[in-house]
């Protein structure tokens, strides 16, 4: 896992940086404040400003060690640029991502250590999370809505740490996904996201600093997807 700038500096939305590689319509930046997507979290949106103009970003492409920033026009920025993260969009992703950790924690604790089989956040303020839950009662799952919003109201701090791969696999429940283990950083570490007093799990996305920064959550739908998978769809109130 690349140790993205945004994971260490999640509150920096405008970053002065420099173009270190450019082709018409795409650039490599010296430092980038953007989350390029992954783990079910959508890539950031944003803009670049430089002395010659400004342009919106349309996406990211990882090639080798570099992340190309794809531009909405075939321009060729150079030199110093200001990279600007779309704050409301990042906030939406941070809320959904943190809320999915809460759902995940409550399902893991209340349903015999059920593991996650898939996750996706959406730009309309909804998200889905799939669990390997062959026997669960959907009404009991629906009943988690109150507990999710209790955790939000408690405004629990969300912290991150890094552990070694060995520690990650030794700690029960830290690797919560049935299919994907977050890849280690270049120095062999796994990032752990902790909701104080509730949950610790390996993850490589962006989260809120505390649960209280999320809007309330509704459980919109619960579907059976195949014999084993249960899909919970959640939505933020007021989005
Ligand atoms: Zn996460």
């Amino acid at each position: 896992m690349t140790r993205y700038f945004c994971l260490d500096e999640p509150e920096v939305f405008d970053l002065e940086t420099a173009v270190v590689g450019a082709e018409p319509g795409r650039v490599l930046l010296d430092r980038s404040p953007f989350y390029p997507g992954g783990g079910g979290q959508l890539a950031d949106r944003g803009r670049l400003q430089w002395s010659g103009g400004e342009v919106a970003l349309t996406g990211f492409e990882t090639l080798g060690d570099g992340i190309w920033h794809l531009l909405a026009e075939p321009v060729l920025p150079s030199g110093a640029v200001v990279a600007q993260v779309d704050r409301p969009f990042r906030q939406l992703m941070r809320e959904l991502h943190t809320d999915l950790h809460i759902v995940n924690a409550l399902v893991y604790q209340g349903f015999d250590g059920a593991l996650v089989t898939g996750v996706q956040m959406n730009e309309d303020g909804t998200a889905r999370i799939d669990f390997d839950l062959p026997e669960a009662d959907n009404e009991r799952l629906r009943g988690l809505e109150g507990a999710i919003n209790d955790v939000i109201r408690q405004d629990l701090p969300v912290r991150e740490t890094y552990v070694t791969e060995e520690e990650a696999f030794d700690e029960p429940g830290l690797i919560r996904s049935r299919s994907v283990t977050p890849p280690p950083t270049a120095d062999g570490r796994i990032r752990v996201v902790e909701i104080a007093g509730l949950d610790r799990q390996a993850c490589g996305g962006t989260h809120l600093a505390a649960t209280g920064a999320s809007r309330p959550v509704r459980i919109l739908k619960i579907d059976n997807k195949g014999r084993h998978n249960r899909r919970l769809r959640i939505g933020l109130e007021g989005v």
Side-chain angles (χ1 to χ4, degrees), residues 26-224:
R26 53 202 280 151
V27 292
L28 288 170
L29 299 178
D30 180 30
R31 293 190 303 164
S32 171
F34 301 106
Y35 182 71
Q41 180 177 338
L42 296 176
D44 272 337
R45 297 169 180 178
R47 307 183 70 77
L48 294 184
Q49 288 186 327
W50 72 104
S51 60
E54 69 172 281
V55 68
L57 300 182
T58 57
F60 304 90
E61 193 179 320
T62 303
L63 284 177
D65 287 342
I67 297 175
W68 285 92
H69 296 60
L70 310 181
L71 311 176
E73 298 161 47
V75 290
L76 201 55
S78 62
V81 295
V82 177
Q84 298 178 315
V85 177
D86 179 328
R87 294 182 191 214
F89 186 78
R90 167 75 73 78
Q91 172 67 18
L92 184 71
M93 288 298 118
R94 290 172 83 183
E95 286 181 59
L96 289 172
H97 200 144
T98 306
D99 296 333
L100 287 175
H101 277 243
I102 298 171
V103 175
N104 185 340
L106 295 173
V107 169
Y108 182 77
Q109 292 167 13
F111 294 81
D112 298 325
L115 294 178
V116 175
T117 53
V119 58
Q120 183 62 52
M121 294 153 231
N122 305 311
E123 61 186 298
D124 63 358
T126 67
R128 67 165 171 82
I129 182 164
D130 296 349
F131 293 96
D132 182 4
L133 262 178
E135 305 294 345
D137 171 359
N138 283 351
E139 281 314 303
R140 228 186 110 211
L141 283 166
R142 204 177 293 280
L144 292 176
E145 186 178 283
I148 296 166
N149 287 302
D150 280 346
V151 173
I152 291 173
R153 270 192 297 272
Q154 287 168 40
D155 197 21
L156 303 177
V158 181
R159 308 186 188 107
E160 62 162 70
T161 52
Y162 285 83
V163 300
T164 65
E165 280 185 87
E166 196 179 2
E167 288 166 335
F169 285 101
D170 279 353
E171 184 176 329
L174 200 70
I175 308 291
R176 199 63 61 77
S177 170
R178 173 127 280 177
S179 48
V180 188
T181 302
T185 58
D187 60 354
R189 300 201 158 240
I190 300 275
R191 182 166 178 263
V192 174
V193 173
E194 174 174 4
I195 299 177
L198 179 74
D199 187 56
R200 277 163 64 80
Q201 60 178 283
C203 185
T206 68
H207 309 81
L208 299 168
T211 59
S214 173
R215 285 162 275 199
V217 165
R218 293 283 162 259
I219 293 179
L220 303 175
K221 202 167 181 223
I222 298 175
D223 287 321
N224 297 341

